[in-house]
Amino acid sequence: MASFGENIFLCLIVSIFVTSGLIIFILSVSISVKTSQKTVDSNDKHPIGNLGEDAVLSCNYLTSTTQMVLASRVSITWEKEGLSEVVYQYDKGTVQLTGQSPRFKDRTQLFLDAIGKGNASLLVRTVRLSDEGVYYCSVSAPSGTGTAVVNFRVAAYSAPTFQLTNSTLTASALKWFPKPSVSWLDANGNIVNTSDTEFFSNSIGINQLMSSLQPIKRFEIYTCIIQNQLVKAVSTATVTDNSISSRTFFSFTTSAASPILQIRWHFLASTASFSVFVYQLT
């Protein structure tokens, strides 16, 4: 039978082994977390640009949490799959555009004041259909080097405007691409089949649409849904005695098979017009 002293000694040995195991486990978890962090990454790997408007391709690199990185120690190169020239290049404090593709001349820039904070995002002005494609953001910084991949897709979309004529409610949208489908719902969320939709496309396939719903009731709320595989616009139109107020929610797919990531709220009324941007992950 073990003595009291031997029992104390065994307990100490077990305690040492248990403590050592816990320390090793904590260190291994800490190391795995650090190694799992990407040096260069994108907050939005599947952005959707609106034709003719500006878009931002997200790219970030790791920095210290206590101090900024000197921009003169950072090199950033944006490239597009299928192009031999660069989209944009920044090398240790200097913009280098001698090898830039002509299609991006005067249309791209970095946020120079934010480079030292880890921001390597690219602003693309006046988005074109030809801008769609896979982009590579390569960064070399004191924290390391790496490349983020961004799949940029281009669509055309606009919030519809509503007009009330007698017992007919008409929704008109100036630009949609790819060609969307249009549906209407009543105040109870039931599909209304008494609608007529016309499309007018230009030489590059951008669609203007006009959809009419009749007969409608005064002091009711109707919903017009315009959507394609990239963008969905849900517009609610509240009909009063002689006016209409409306608001539109835009949602965008993160990829071909992903849920909605971004929502934009666009409000239109007879006396006011403003847009509010809200980002959420569902």
Side-chain angles (χ1 to χ4, degrees):
M1 183 175 179
S3 65
F4 178 76
E6 290 175 334
N7 288 333
I8 293 296
F9 178 75
L10 288 174
C11 289
L12 288 174
I13 294 297
V14 171
S15 177
I16 291 172
F17 274 106
V18 170
T19 303
S20 300
L22 287 174
I23 293 174
I24 293 173
F25 175 76
I26 293 171
L27 288 174
S28 64
V29 170
S30 176
I31 293 173
S32 65
V33 168
K34 289 182 179 180
T35 56
S36 66
Q37 290 180 326
K38 292 184 178 180
T39 303
V40 181
D41 204 357
S42 173
N43 295 329
D44 187 1
K45 296 180 174 62
H46 302 275
I48 297 174
N50 194 359
L51 187 67
E53 299 184 8
D54 297 347
V56 175
L57 307 188
S58 166
C59 182
N60 305 281
Y61 66 92
L62 287 179
T63 59
S64 171
T65 57
T66 58
Q67 61 183 1
M68 292 176 56
V69 176
L70 291 175
S72 59
R73 301 181 63 189
V74 181
S75 295
I76 302 169
T77 301
W78 276 91
E79 298 174 285
K80 184 176 185 288
E81 192 172 86
L83 285 183
S84 56
E85 305 99 334
V86 299
V87 174
Y88 197 93
Q89 191 167 33
Y90 176 91
D91 187 20
K92 298 178 180 178
T94 305
V95 177
Q96 303 283 350
L97 300 180
T98 55
Q100 185 184 43
S101 169
R103 69 173 64 179
F104 290 102
K105 183 180 179 181
D106 300 325
R107 294 181 54 237
T108 54
Q109 69 180 67
L110 298 179
F111 300 91
L112 299 180
D113 294 340
I115 290 177
K117 301 176 183 178
N119 189 343
S121 300
L122 181 74
L123 173 66
V124 181
R125 298 191 180 278
T126 317
V127 169
R128 306 170 180 173
L129 290 177
S130 59
D131 293 337
E132 184 169 278
V134 178
Y135 289 75
Y136 301 94
C137 171
S138 300
V139 180
S140 176
S143 58
T145 60
T147 299
V149 180
V150 179
N151 182 13
F152 183 48
R153 296 160 298 164
V154 177
Y157 55 92
S158 60
T161 58
F162 292 87
Q163 183 176 356
L164 180 62
T165 305
N166 296 324
S167 61
T168 301
L169 179 62
T170 301
S172 301
L174 294 177
K175 63 174 185 178
W176 274 84
F177 177 85
K179 185 178 180 179
S181 62
V182 182
S183 57
W184 289 84
L185 306 177
D186 61 19
N188 296 318
N190 300 315
I191 296 177
V192 181
N193 295 318
T194 55
S195 61
D196 181 35
T197 303
E198 294 181 282
F199 293 92
F200 311 91
S201 59
N202 61 18
S203 58
I204 60 174
I206 307 303
N207 298 278
Q208 181 178 352
L209 65 89
M210 181 179 295
S211 185
S212 298
L213 177 67
Q214 63 176 344
I216 58 98
K217 298 178 181 179
R218 305 285 176 162
F219 304 101
E220 287 284 348
I221 298 176
Y222 295 91
T223 302
C224 178
I225 300 175
I226 309 173
Q227 64 178 331
N228 55 31
Q229 59 267 40
L230 297 177
V231 185
K232 181 178 181 180
V234 179
S235 303
T236 56
T238 303
V239 180
T240 61
D241 190 27
N242 54 7
S243 65
I244 306 169
S245 63
S246 66
R247 60 180 181 178
T248 297
F249 293 88
F250 285 101
S251 56
F252 309 88
T253 55
T254 58
S255 65
S258 295
I260 298 303
L261 172 67
Q262 182 188 40
I263 294 178
R264 187 177 79 175
W265 176 28
H266 184 84
F267 177 81
L268 292 173
S270 56
T271 59
S273 177
F274 60 90
S275 296
V276 178
F277 292 84
V278 179
Y279 296 86
Q280 67 180 33
L281 180 61
T282 58

